[in-house]
Amino acid sequence: MKNPKMVANAQKQRRFRERQKELGKQQVRGYVTPQGMESYKELSAKTGWSDSELLSNALRITYAAYKCGQIKLLNEWLKDNDK
């Protein structure tokens, strides 16, 4: 017999996924807004990177900006370029 706690958690996760889809979000490695999905597709097309490569390189860029004290600059660039 299934654990009632596991069943409740599965139902909760299903409801969450349905709400995200209703909001127009698409799951890539989490739920992405339509604007985020456009940026994802643009980066993928320009670089030819796979989903894993995009995630890995995004983390590397963010970490490098953090280590160099440039997070504020990175955030400003993203805002200025509507990303």
Side-chain angles (χ1 to χ4, degrees):
M1 195 158 196
K2 290 186 179 181
N3 182 343
K5 206 172 194 178
M6 289 175 64
V7 172
N9 190 42
Q11 291 172 344
K12 197 173 175 182
Q13 290 176 6
R14 182 180 40 77
R15 288 191 303 269
F16 174 77
R17 287 190 302 270
E18 289 170 356
R19 278 195 309 270
Q20 296 306 308
K21 286 179 185 177
E22 287 170 5
L23 292 172
K25 296 181 180 180
Q26 183 176 349
Q27 185 176 13
V28 179
R29 283 196 180 252
Y31 287 92
V32 179
T33 63
Q35 180 186 5
M37 197 63 204
E38 286 176 27
S39 294
Y40 171 83
K41 288 177 181 176
E42 180 183 343
L43 279 171
S44 183
K46 285 182 178 180
T47 61
W49 293 339
S50 68
D51 183 49
S52 294
E53 291 169 321
L54 277 171
L55 179 62
S56 178
N57 290 329
L59 290 172
R60 288 178 181 161
I61 290 167
T62 305
Y63 183 71
Y66 165 75
K67 288 302 276 185
C68 295
Q70 300 296 319
I71 287 290
K72 184 177 179 186
L73 181 66
L74 177 60
N75 283 334
E76 288 174 7
W77 183 89
L78 291 168
K79 286 177 188 174
D80 291 347
N81 289 281
D82 198 30
K83 301 290 178 190

